[in-house]
């Protein structure tokens, strides 16, 4: 473990949500709002996981389908489907998730490093694995998830 890793605390409050039956967590300080599903305006030439944009009180926010980003099957939205609006380096982004669960405290001693598979940097998108009771929550580093997707660089259009 490097010196940077030993000084970084991962414990704290997390908003947990579900995708494909698995529980994930986001640092609560990154979460700006939780919205019921709103009409989404499609964006031409956007990556397949970018569903489009929403108008949230005059602010245009890109929205991604988190299932598609993570390589999961797209499903029909339900009454529990919602959009989590997160702040990614000053840019607000919307994430469509199956359902939001709760805000919970996860202590440092309950968080383990994710296993490393291969030599890629995909592990940087995961802050750790939170062990709460008999459940495991995949704690996301939302800045890295969004950076890996290059969503903040939305395509430009000539009108």
């Amino acid at each position: 473990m490097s010196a940077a890793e030993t000084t970084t605390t991962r414990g704290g409050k997390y908003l947990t949500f579900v995708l494909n039956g698995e529980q994930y967590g986001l640092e609560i300080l990154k979460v700006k709002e939780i919205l019921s599903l709103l009409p989404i305006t499609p964006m031409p030439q956007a990556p397949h996981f970018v569903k489009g944009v929403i108008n949230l009180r005059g602010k245009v926010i890109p929205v991604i389908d988190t299932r598609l980003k993570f390589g999961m099957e797209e499903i029909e939205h339900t009454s529990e489907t919602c959009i989590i609006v997160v702040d990614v380096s000053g840019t607000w982004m919307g994430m469509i998730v199956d359902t939001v669960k709760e805000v919970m405290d996860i202590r440092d001693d309950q968080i383990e490093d994710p296993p490393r598979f291969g030599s890629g940097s995909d592990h940087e998108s995961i802050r750790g694995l939170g062990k709460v009771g008999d459940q495991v929550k995949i704690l996301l580093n939302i800045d890295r998830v969004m950076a890996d997707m290059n969503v903040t660089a939305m395509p430009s259009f000539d009108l």
Side-chain angles (χ1 to χ4, degrees):
M1 188 177 291
S2 72
E5 289 174 312
T6 57
T7 59
T8 301
T9 50
R10 296 180 287 183
K13 290 193 181 299
Y14 287 85
L15 174 71
T16 60
F17 62 92
V18 175
L19 286 176
N20 200 31
E22 297 297 326
Q23 290 195 34
Y24 293 81
L26 295 171
E27 292 174 273
I28 195 68
L29 295 176
K30 295 286 188 177
V31 176
K32 294 302 175 192
E33 294 197 43
I34 301 169
L35 309 168
S36 56
L37 208 54
L38 300 172
I40 298 172
T41 303
M43 294 293 296
Q45 301 177 3
H48 75 285
F49 51 81
V50 177
K51 289 307 192 186
V53 296
I54 58 172
N55 181 348
L56 182 62
R57 295 181 299 281
K59 187 171 186 149
V60 176
I61 299 173
V63 176
I64 65 143
D65 187 321
T66 313
R67 280 177 151 265
L68 295 178
K69 162 56 186 143
F70 291 166
M72 298 173 189
E73 175 185 354
E74 187 170 15
I75 62 168
E76 195 71 33
H77 295 151
T78 70
S79 61
E80 293 186 356
T81 304
C82 57
I83 299 172
I84 302 172
V85 178
V86 295
D87 183 338
V88 179
S89 303
T91 301
W92 285 22
M93 305 288 301
M95 301 171 51
I96 299 172
V97 300
D98 296 351
T99 188
V100 168
K101 294 299 275 182
E102 63 185 318
V103 175
M104 64 181 355
D105 281 311
I106 303 177
R107 299 183 318 267
D108 275 333
D109 65 348
Q110 293 175 299
I111 300 173
E112 290 189 6
D113 290 333
R116 296 187 186 266
F117 300 105
S119 60
S121 64
D122 291 344
H123 64 276
E124 292 177 7
S125 296
I126 300 175
R127 287 178 58 85
L129 301 175
K131 299 180 303 179
V132 181
D134 61 349
Q135 296 181 335
V136 174
K137 320 269 188 208
I138 301 167
L139 306 177
L140 298 177
N141 177 342
I142 197 61
D143 291 326
R144 286 298 309 161
V145 169
M146 295 299 188
D148 291 347
M149 293 186 308
N150 198 23
V151 170
T152 54
M154 292 294 288
S156 59
F157 304 99
D158 293 322
L159 299 178

